[in-house]
Each structure stands twice: as C-alpha cells, then as structure tokens.
C-alpha cells in the first residue's frame, strides 16, 4: 500500500512539473502566432490522442517528460505560423515561458505548504518564566518590532537581532502590545543547550492566508538562492555523488517526504520545480537555456552561426544529457542498494 501511495505521489509530482511547463511554452507560442502540432504529456508509446483544431493532444506511456511540438521548431519553415519565422524576442519569450511556469508552481506549492504547516511570526506565543525576557516585562502576545533600532518584521530578523548580541551586551527591544508600543532592555543569557545567547521567548505561528501568500514568494526566493548555490557547488566539484539524485532517487525522497504529510511533500515539489527551472536555463544545447544561448550567439555573430551548426550542437548536447541521465540513474540504483 505504501509503495502504491509513493508511486501515485511521484507521478502526480511529475505531471505537476511537466504539464504547466509545456503549457507555458504552448500558451506564449500561440500568443506569438505559432502553430502547435502536438502537446504531449509523457514520452514513448502513444496511449491516447485527441485532435483539437491544429493541435494533437497526446498521452504517452512514460510520465518522465512531455513536449510542445511547434511548427518550425526543429527546422526552418517559411511560414507566418512557424517558430522559425518569429522574431528573436518572441522566440526567447516562448522559451522562457516554461521556466516561468516552474517558478510559479514553486511559489504556489510553497504558499500552500505554509498555509498547512503555519509560519513563525515576530509575535510571541510564550515567554519562559524567569528568563531575561520575562524579567524585562515582555509578555505572550507581544510583537517584536525592532531590536536596537533595526526593524524585525519576521521571526528570522528577531533571531538575527538576538544572535548579533555580544557577550553581556544589552538589547533594546521594541514591542507592540495591543495598540500600545514600548521598549525594554534585555540582556541575553548564554544557553549551553542551544549553544548561543537566548532571551527566553517562543514564536507564535499563523496560518493566515495573506501572511502565507506574502511569505510564499520570499521563501521561494530563499530556496532558489540555495538551489543556485547547490548548482555552483556541483559544477565546482564540492558536491558528493551521493548528494545527487535522479528519478529513482527522487522516488525514495518522495516516499520519505510523504510520511511527514502533505506540507513537506509540497515543499519538496517546490524544490524540484526550482531545480528544473534552473537546470533548464543552463546553456547546454537541447535545453531551453541552450536555445536561448544560440539565439544570442546568432545576434552577436551577425548570422555567422547558422541553423546547421545549432542542429549539430543540439545533437551533441542531447547525447551529453542522455549520458548524464544514465549516469545519475545508475548512481541512484547504486545508492538504493547501498
């Protein structure tokens, strides 16, 4: 039963990542007047198809990808409805649409996850009896609005403000209590258990939609910065092969996340969606980033880079990507069996 649940959640994740990505390409392409020959969910043998207008909508056996086949995408076609006949800004907009959808999916997933699990705020749920905060007069329900004059709109800012305290240094903490505001002086005490200076306060959490919606993009941006740092570490050789996961490894991660509930699963979905967006922007021929790179090369070179050169580079790029995919899958299997 657990295996079936994991398989279903894994497939749902892939579909949520694939369909909006390709839908983004298709929507912007249509806005630019490009004919869409096929919109496919999945790869491999055809299971189901439906013709609607000029476009065939397909469902294929393997849910490991999908595609939006545009007229004139693979070869130059002299037609007002072909991708090859569009301007460079239009082509770039079409290519960026998929990545944009992945970012939007990440923001939505993070926001829903925050609404489910709740987010910590700069308001106090409780004050530890006898602690420096208690002695200074802070109470449950107070909202910390500033520390030493620095605004603290989030709990992270409160923690940063307290952590910045040097040994024995008193902090001027401004708070809001109801409609009143005030300032107290608090001297943090070192906690052996936590390995840092503490004042004895516990943050309140909220599931307020407006708060979560405001923090959703912020949290997504922080995740995105972590993803970019991870990719930089990967290319610089500072990441172990055991820290890299492909589809097989992702199944195991989904299984673990699902055990903790829907909120961690959605956060994982957001992380994978951001990974997909960043990876797609890498200028490797065959990826969206590679196509954008060649468009820019053609502009810079004044046309000396032609379609034939791009095609050959794309073939090489696809071979590299498939080899990389095979190696990562092999690495997943090796990790799976220890």
């Amino acid at each position: 039963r657990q295996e079936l649940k994991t398989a279903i959640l894994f497939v749902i994740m892939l579909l949520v990542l694939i369909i909006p990505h390709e839908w983004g390409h298709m929507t912007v392409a249509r806005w630019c007047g490009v004919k869409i020959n096929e919109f496919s969910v999945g790869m491999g043998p055809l299971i189901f198809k439906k013709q609607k207008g000029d476009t065939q909508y397909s469902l294929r056996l393997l849910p490991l990808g999908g595609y939006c086949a545009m007229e004139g995408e693979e070869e130059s076609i002299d037609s007002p409805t072909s991708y090859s006949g569009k301007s460079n800004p239009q082509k770039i907009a079409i290519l960026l649409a998929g990545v944009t959808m992945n970012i939007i999916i990440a923001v939505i997933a993070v926001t829903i996850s925050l609404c489910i699990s709740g987010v910590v705020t700069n308001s106090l749920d409780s004050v530890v009896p006898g602690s420096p905060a208690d002695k200074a007069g802070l109470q449950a329900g107070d909202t910390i609005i500033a520390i030493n004059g620095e605004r603290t709109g989030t709990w992270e800012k409160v923690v940063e403000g307290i952590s910045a305290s040097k040994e024995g240094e008193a902090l001027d903490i401004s708070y809001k209590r109801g409609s009143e505001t005030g300032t107290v002086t608090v001297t943090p005490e070192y906690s052996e258990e936590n390995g840092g200076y503490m004042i004895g306060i516990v943050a309140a959490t909220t599931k307020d939609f407006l708060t979560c919606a405001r923090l959703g993009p912020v949290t997504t941006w922080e995740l995105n910065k972590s993803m970019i740092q991870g990719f930089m570490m990967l290319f610089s050789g500072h990441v172990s092969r055991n820290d890299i996961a492909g589809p097989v490894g992702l199944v195991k991660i989904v299984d673990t996340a699902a055990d903790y509930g829907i909120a961690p699963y959605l956060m994982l979905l957001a992380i994978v969606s951001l990974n997909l967006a960043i990876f797609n922007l890498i200028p490797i021929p065959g990826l969206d980033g590679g196509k954008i790179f060649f468009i820019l090369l053609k502009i810079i070179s004044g046309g000396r880079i032609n379609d034939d050169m791009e095609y050959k580079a794309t073939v090489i790029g696809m071979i590299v990507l498939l080899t990389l995919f095979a190696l990562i899958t092999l690495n997943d299997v090796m990790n799976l069996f220890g």
Side-chain angles (χ1 to χ4, degrees):
R1 184 177 179 180
Q2 178 67 21
E3 290 78 6
L4 178 60
K5 175 185 174 183
T6 300
I8 292 173
L9 290 175
F10 177 69
V11 172
I12 290 174
M13 177 178 289
L14 291 179
L15 294 178
V16 170
L17 296 174
I18 294 166
I19 295 176
H21 180 96
E22 298 302 332
W23 181 84
H25 287 314
M26 180 176 69
T27 301
V28 176
R30 280 182 169 165
W31 286 346
C32 295
V34 177
K35 177 185 174 184
I36 308 299
N37 294 325
E38 183 181 0
F39 181 87
S40 176
V41 176
M43 307 291 283
L46 182 67
I47 298 175
F48 172 81
K49 67 177 181 178
K50 180 178 177 62
Q51 190 72 30
K52 187 175 180 181
D54 293 330
T55 306
Q56 174 183 302
Y57 294 88
S58 307
L59 178 64
R60 297 183 180 272
L61 182 62
L62 303 175
L64 297 177
Y67 55 87
C68 170
M70 296 176 282
E71 184 178 86
E73 182 179 11
E74 301 300 331
E75 57 182 350
S76 181
I77 297 177
D78 185 16
S79 168
T81 61
S82 72
Y83 169 84
S84 57
K86 298 304 174 182
S87 67
N88 289 324
Q90 287 176 317
K91 290 178 180 178
I92 293 174
I94 292 169
L95 294 170
L96 287 177
V99 169
T100 302
M101 288 305 301
N102 282 128
I103 295 173
I104 291 173
I105 288 299
V107 172
I108 293 173
V110 168
T111 301
I112 296 175
S113 178
L114 294 178
C115 287
I116 294 172
S117 62
V119 294
V120 292
T121 69
N122 56 325
S123 295
L124 304 184
D125 181 65
S126 62
V127 176
V128 178
S131 66
D134 182 41
K135 294 174 182 177
L138 291 175
Q139 301 175 10
D142 290 350
T143 299
I144 308 299
I145 56 177
I147 296 180
N148 287 345
E150 294 290 330
R151 301 291 295 179
T152 52
T154 64
W155 178 250
E156 287 74 17
K157 291 295 183 181
V158 173
V159 173
E160 287 177 11
I162 297 172
S163 300
S165 169
K166 298 178 182 178
E167 183 176 357
E169 182 184 44
L171 301 173
D172 291 327
I173 298 181
S174 300
Y175 65 91
K176 183 177 181 181
R177 183 179 299 161
S179 59
E180 300 179 353
T181 59
T183 300
V184 295
T185 300
V186 184
T187 302
E189 294 179 352
Y190 188 79
S191 169
E192 294 288 348
E193 181 182 352
N194 295 287
Y197 284 89
M198 316 287 287
I199 65 172
I201 55 176
V202 179
T205 60
T206 180
K207 296 183 179 180
D208 175 66
F209 175 75
L210 292 179
T211 301
C212 295
R214 177 175 59 84
L215 291 177
V218 176
T219 306
T220 304
W221 174 244
E222 293 301 321
L223 284 174
N224 186 59
K225 289 196 293 185
S226 298
M227 295 299 101
I228 293 174
Q229 290 174 357
F231 271 95
M232 291 176 65
M233 291 175 64
L234 174 64
F235 288 112
S236 63
H238 289 87
V239 175
S240 167
R241 70 176 183 84
N242 293 326
D243 296 325
I244 302 173
V248 177
L250 183 58
V251 173
K252 187 177 181 180
I253 298 173
V254 168
D255 182 61
T256 302
D259 288 339
Y260 290 94
I262 188 64
Y265 171 78
L266 289 172
M267 198 62 73
L268 174 62
L269 190 153
I271 291 172
V272 177
S273 189
L274 287 175
N275 266 288
L276 181 61
I278 295 171
F279 184 74
N280 249 304
L281 285 177
I282 297 175
I284 297 176
L287 298 177
D288 292 336
K291 294 177 181 179
I292 294 173
F293 179 68
F294 263 95
I295 290 174
L296 297 177
L297 272 183
K298 290 176 182 178
I299 295 174
I300 296 171
S301 68
R304 286 191 293 272
I305 304 295
N306 55 42
D307 292 340
D308 184 59
M309 295 170 67
E310 181 180 359
Y311 173 77
K312 291 177 180 177
T314 300
V315 171
I316 295 172
M318 291 303 298
I319 293 173
V320 171
L321 289 173
L322 290 173
T323 302
L324 180 63
F325 178 83
L327 291 174
I328 292 176
T329 303
L330 178 61
N331 183 65
D332 283 346
V333 174
M334 292 172 64
N335 288 335
L336 188 64
F337 292 100

